[in-house]
Amino acid sequence: MSTLADRKRNLGRVPVKWIVLAAYVLLVLVSRWVTSADRQPKPELAHAIELAQVGPAGAAGALPIVVLPSLPARGEQDWRRTFLDGRSAGLGPVYAVRWPTAHHRSRASMGDDALAADLLLALETRFGKGRFHLVGEGMGGAVALSLAHRHPGRVATLTFVSAPGAQEYTLLGNAVANKFVYFFHHIPFVLFDVATPHFGLADRLPYNRGYSGVFFDSDLSDAKSMLRAWNGPALLVHGKSDWIAPVDAARYSVKLMPQARLLELEGGHGEEVAAAAAPQVAEFIVAAEAGKAAGRAAPVAATEPYPDLVVSDGARFWILILIIILCTFVAEDPTCLAAGLLAAEGIIGFWWAALACTVGIFIGDMALYSLGRWLGRGALRRAPLKWIVKEHEIDRMAGWFGSPRGMLVIVSSRFIPASRVPTFVTAGILRLGLPRLSLLLFTAALVWTPLLMLLGSTLGPPFMEQFPRYKQYAAWIVIGLFALIWIVTHWIVPAMTWRGRREIVMKVRGLMQPSLWPGWLLYLPVRLGIVLLSLRHRRLTAFASANPALGRIGGFIGDSKSLLLRPFQRDSRCCPTLALSLEDTQEERIKEAAAFAACHGFPVVFKPEVAEDGAGLRFVHTQEQLERLVRGAQEDFLLQKFIPGFEFEVVWRRNPGKDDGRIMALLHKHDVTVRGDGEQTLEELIWLDEVAVSRANLFLRCHARDLNRVIPAGQKVILNLTGSYGHGARCRHRADLTTVELEAAVTQFAKRFPGLHFARFDLRATSMEDLKAGRFIVTEVGGCCHVSSLLRDESLRFSRSYAAVWGQLKACLEAGAYNLRQKVRPVPVEELMARWSQARGRHDEFAVSEEL
């Protein structure tokens, strides 16, 4: 049994970021479980619109007045008050409305149509089939309009206080464009709700998922037709300086409803003007009760055209300009398209909108440049920049920017979606000249913006004519448009250039060839197989007992490399290795490393003690490099003599309880090479080569410093920097190389450790003939569950590869189960997971070409 000290030591091996991540995920799961009861479907809450009478009972026989507050609801505080309190002389009873709060998750939509239907149910419960007056504040006015449109016989009068009016005067003035903006506004609240352990507290904040959902669900595309269809008395109260719902919206609503009266007051939005208008609203309703409030004489014919829109001017114009600029920070291209549609509808001038888009885009570009300049290269190692700009791309772009075409690259990125952020941030990191760069960026934006706006103004109006028929699918339309943009930017646009077509070849092969799939996906069945076979043997860590006393965890992922090689060090076929610990002083480590290099010569192989698939490996060519790496080491490491020749991978097993041994699989790790022609750069050669193109991104990353170098004619460049698949080597199953001599030599080597039952050896041999004759050098040893890389051999059938790997897993588990029956100490789960996480929690996943 492991002691408390052992458990603390195992916990110390786990990277801190993994511990934090695990704790965070656990808190999120607990939070979701705690709040799950409140979020179960509750039909009674889905329609929980409450009514409460405020003030005195009102005049006898007068119709009730229902005041609809603005959406979204702002918490629980004192909702039983309205701006008509104390103004009920001659009026009927006044009722305040309380909208469903944000934590009523059973509600499918907070849109005005859905709320209008629920409000009618609540009103019928209270008043029966009688009539009533509706007073809507803000977005409450949209609900009132929807209810009046569907049930005009039930609504006596309509009063709008700071209501939004027609769609053209809300935000960007277009339902689709607004949906884009509201989508980006809604997503952070959704992510916060889903991925934050708030334990239900977020549901009671004034700004939460329910708040943002109101805007995302809102749809005012039918507001214009509803306003024109209303024939009853109407009063509009609006602030002259309202920047949320501009007064132009109210003026246009009066054009649609000629019988309506517009009351423009000094002030802004909502309660500020509502309190001042209370007497006039009461007077209007009393007049309507007495039959003195005029309605429209006759309905408007459906064929009659809408009146011209009120062109934005004054404060509304500058507010719209500001909105366009801000929206470019969220989504540049959709904002330009929407601005083109606004210009086509006459809401704003074309060139004013183009200038606003250009200014917004230019500010965003310069912000990215400043971000790179101020934070520097070090920021690329931290989120979120490390997700957008890869550090190895800096060297490649530096070569571009240093050439005469450098500025052309920056300008052209404006016209290539998905390339702007990395290009502008890199320009800042490289500190390119600001005056010239600013001029080029502004010019590029000024050229690109009118083109997109012209596209929006040409195609937008026909699309908007069809949109009302499909508005119930607006969310899916937004998602579909994003998917279409992604397809266009990642597949169609790249296909227009030669390099883009080669990138598509790489992507298609990455999807169609299972051997090129990412490791987490390719090896997922293998990891599930380990768990299932372990459970079959009734011990979750049974596989780790296959090699008792070989390392702490039987040679599993995360075991020390030097510890696994130690039993074989006396064999001449084991690669000379020097293990250095951080427990020694830095000067001692430098001295021992220098002595090792002097004994075996350069280059020397530098490896971390705990790593997988070549992570952290470096080739050391000089004494200066060696000293720099030793001084900068943050973990235990080892040095090995460099062994030239071919690299192979051998999986070997011994039957439990028997003195035998055989090779289960043998793979050859092929180098991937390109040959220069004296004209093409290394990057161009990589894209040209039919083999290298399959993993071009990896090779570009590894050789970032040399991509712009023209390779001399006839010179061969090896792209994979090591024999690991993770560094680009190709894996080939070579059963023809397994000979009696080789099998005997491997078995003899393996029996240097009596308790070894399952292992994977990395071998180096100077030729195929030497390998067949059993002459090789072992550079690494892997123990339990180190299956072969057959899955990375594209020449094998996928089913055959998995069958072979499954057979290796069974051999490992059988040996582990046998040893457990012989009373071998089982490996604790916590120790196994600690060492595995230590190996997997690395950031230096690949080797890079070293500067000599």
Side-chain angles (χ1 to χ4, degrees), residues 593-672:
F596 183 86
C599 177
H600 298 286
F602 288 103
V604 173
V605 181
F606 176 96
K607 295 180 180 179
E609 274 280 22
V610 178
E612 183 189 9
D613 204 15
L617 184 147
R618 296 292 185 270
F619 293 105
V620 184
H621 299 274
T622 65
Q623 183 64 36
E624 291 75 18
Q625 282 185 352
L626 178 62
E627 185 171 337
R628 185 176 70 247
L629 287 173
V630 173
R631 288 187 183 278
Q634 302 295 320
E635 58 187 325
D636 294 347
F637 61 94
L638 56 87
L639 299 177
Q640 280 190 329
K641 177 182 179 181
F642 176 75
I643 307 298
F646 299 101
E647 183 161 344
F648 303 89
E649 176 189 286
V650 171
V651 174
W652 176 90
R653 71 161 297 189
R654 182 172 62 143
N655 290 311
K658 296 183 180 180
D659 188 23
D660 60 359
R662 69 181 183 88
I663 293 176
M664 299 189 72
L666 188 152
L667 275 82
H668 180 201
K669 303 292 187 67
H670 283 272
D671 289 334
V672 179

Side-chain angles (χ1 to χ4, degrees), residues 771-832:
L771 180 72
K772 291 180 180 181
R775 294 188 291 271
F776 54 79
I777 299 294
V778 176
T779 58
E780 276 197 20
V781 176
C784 56
C785 292
H786 274 77
V787 294
S788 68
S789 304
L790 286 170
L791 299 178
R792 295 300 188 181
D793 185 353
E794 65 265 23
S795 64
L796 293 179
R797 290 202 311 269
F798 209 37
S799 58
R800 180 184 173 187
S801 300
Y802 267 117
V805 170
W806 191 264
Q808 295 169 21
L809 288 179
K810 291 180 65 177
C812 180
L813 267 293
E814 287 171 3
Y818 171 82
N819 288 326
L820 288 175
R821 290 194 296 269
Q822 305 304 312
K823 307 303 181 182
V824 169
R825 179 187 70 88
V827 178
V829 175
E830 63 269 17
E831 182 167 0
L832 194 73

Side-chain angles (χ1 to χ4, degrees), residues 312-577:
S312 299
D313 59 1
R316 160 63 178 165
F317 171 79
W318 294 111
I319 289 172
L320 188 58
I321 291 290
L322 179 61
I323 290 174
I324 293 174
I325 291 175
L326 293 177
C327 286
T328 58
F329 302 157
V330 178
E332 295 178 355
D333 293 348
T335 300
C336 292
L337 294 172
L341 184 56
L342 292 181
E345 294 177 349
I347 299 175
I348 190 172
F350 182 91
W351 290 110
W352 278 110
L355 181 60
C357 290
T358 301
V359 170
I361 290 173
F362 176 72
I363 293 174
D365 293 347
M366 295 311 299
L368 293 174
Y369 172 86
S370 302
L371 189 67
R373 183 162 187 143
W374 290 340
L375 298 181
R377 186 186 287 256
L380 301 181
R381 303 185 183 97
R382 298 188 297 269
L385 280 182
K386 71 176 184 179
W387 302 330
I388 303 172
V389 185
K390 301 303 181 183
E391 189 174 1
H392 69 275
E393 294 179 348
I394 300 296
D395 298 300
R396 178 160 59 103
M397 290 187 178
W400 290 350
F401 297 160
S403 66
R405 60 172 184 167
M407 289 300 178
L408 179 61
V409 172
I410 295 177
V411 173
S412 63
S413 66
R414 165 55 48 196
F415 307 94
I416 304 175
S419 67
R420 301 163 190 170
V421 174
T423 301
F424 299 153
V425 171
T426 302
I429 291 174
L430 297 177
R431 297 179 175 272
L432 299 187
L434 185 58
R436 183 184 178 194
L437 180 67
S438 302
L439 179 61
L440 287 173
L441 290 180
F442 187 82
T443 304
L446 194 59
V447 172
W448 177 244
T449 297
L451 295 178
L452 277 181
M453 286 186 56
L454 186 61
L455 183 65
S457 63
T458 304
L459 302 181
F463 175 78
M464 288 307 300
E465 290 178 4
Q466 300 298 322
F467 180 73
R469 299 171 54 186
Y470 307 101
K471 67 178 182 179
Q472 63 269 32
Y473 307 110
W476 291 108
I477 292 175
V478 170
I479 294 173
L481 287 174
F482 275 112
L484 179 61
I485 291 172
W486 183 85
I487 291 173
V488 170
T489 57
H490 287 76
W491 293 86
I492 297 178
V493 173
M496 297 178 182
T497 64
W498 172 83
R499 172 170 170 166
R501 290 190 290 272
R502 299 303 289 173
E503 288 180 349
I504 291 175
V505 170
M506 178 187 65
K507 294 176 183 178
V508 171
R509 290 185 183 178
L511 292 173
M512 302 302 294
Q513 291 184 12
S515 61
L516 295 174
W517 290 352
W520 66 265
L521 176 61
L522 186 64
Y523 284 94
L524 180 61
V526 176
R527 291 166 182 164
L528 294 176
I530 293 174
V531 175
L532 293 176
L533 289 174
S534 297
L535 292 176
R536 181 181 298 177
H537 291 286
R538 301 183 181 181
R539 173 69 67 172
L540 191 58
T541 61
F543 59 88
S545 299
N547 303 313
L550 177 64
R552 295 281 299 177
I553 52 178
F556 187 62
I557 298 169
D559 230 336
S560 172
K561 295 180 184 294
S562 63
L563 188 63
L564 297 178
L565 285 169
R566 187 175 300 167
F568 311 100
Q569 282 293 328
R570 294 185 179 180
D571 195 308
S572 60
R573 290 168 293 192
C574 184
C575 181
T577 302

